[in-house]
Amino acid sequence: RYGTVTGVQTCALPISDKNCEGPRVPLDVIVKAIPEIGNFSLTICNGDAFNFSPSGGIIPPNTKYSWDVPQMESGLTGGSTASNQSSITGTLSNSSADVKVATYIIHPTVDYSGNPVCPGDTFTLTVFVNPSPQVFFSPLSDTICSGSSTQSVTLTSPTPNALLSWTCTPPAGISGAATVGGNSIPVQTLINNTNQPVTVTYLATPANSGSLS
């Protein structure tokens, strides 16, 4: 059962007739290795594809993996079934504001050209899917006269542990605008040097464990 390669066990069988023993005849028993793989977990971002190859344990060459549709918490979509794959792949989407979990039950096998196909014990791959974080401004907008001060704007997110930042590229004719910041946009005195209304746009980017929205 165990081992990373196929082994050969040779037994010598004596042939005898009453008290007369003939030459010993070898009988080879080929013992094929089977997969022995532990459980794994990984973390991805909403909508990301993953491609996972197990490591460690006993993984004979040409090991293939099959799985049914994973067990998915509410809010997850995209789980599918596959068979005889060289690695474990998938794409999962999380429509909620919380981390969601998908659990894959993996069936490993080794096909020794059909003689025989050796199955290993199942193992689990647990996939944690981070949500795409959201961000909101408070207040949502502001209108001022040239030379007046803006309101202070707070950035918030319903996504736990979301990291918030913002940038601004002041349009032509506008001076006094800040260009980068974090959880809030400070009070600024903006001057419009044109003869027309000009809109200054602040672009917020929430992030969560490497996921950008």
Side-chain angles (χ1 to χ4, degrees):
R1 176 183 177 86
Y2 301 100
T4 58
V5 296
T6 299
V8 178
Q9 179 67 49
T10 300
C11 302
L13 304 179
I15 301 176
S16 63
D17 181 10
K18 294 184 179 181
N19 295 324
C20 300
E21 184 175 303
R24 292 178 177 267
V25 178
L27 171 65
D28 291 337
V29 179
I30 300 175
V31 184
K32 302 287 188 177
I34 67 169
E36 293 285 341
I37 303 172
N39 299 325
F40 292 91
S41 66
L42 58 88
T43 300
I44 64 172
C45 295
N46 172 42
D48 280 358
F50 65 89
N51 189 329
F52 181 77
S53 297
S55 60
I58 298 172
I59 306 178
N62 201 38
T63 295
K64 301 295 184 183
Y65 306 99
S66 301
W67 59 90
D68 295 324
V69 173
Q71 302 171 6
M72 295 185 293
E73 292 183 338
S74 176
L76 281 183
T77 57
S80 60
T81 184
S83 60
N84 295 323
Q85 302 297 304
S86 298
S87 60
I88 305 161
T89 61
T91 302
L92 296 171
S93 297
N94 181 357
S95 61
S96 77
D98 302 308
V99 177
K100 296 295 182 177
V101 179
T103 303
Y104 290 78
I105 307 298
I106 311 299
H107 304 268
T109 58
V110 185
D111 187 351
Y112 293 98
S113 299
N115 185 27
V117 174
C118 295
D121 292 335
T122 60
F123 65 95
T124 61
L125 174 63
T126 304
V127 182
F128 297 89
V129 186
N130 285 328
S132 291
Q134 298 174 305
V135 63
F136 301 102
F137 293 109
S138 179
L140 293 176
S141 63
D142 196 4
T143 301
I144 65 171
C145 295
S146 178
S148 298
S149 296
T150 63
Q151 300 181 69
S152 176
V153 178
T154 301
L155 280 64
T156 59
S157 175
T159 306
N161 302 316
L163 303 176
L164 305 179
S165 63
W166 59 267
T167 60
C168 173
T169 301
I174 292 293
S175 60
T179 56
V180 294
N183 292 332
S184 65
I185 302 174
V187 173
Q188 302 160 70
T189 300
L190 302 181
I191 299 175
N192 181 354
N193 298 296
T194 76
N195 61 0
Q196 296 292 327
V198 177
T199 298
V200 181
T201 301
Y202 298 83
L203 179 63
T205 305
N208 184 7
S209 298
S211 171
L212 297 181
S213 175

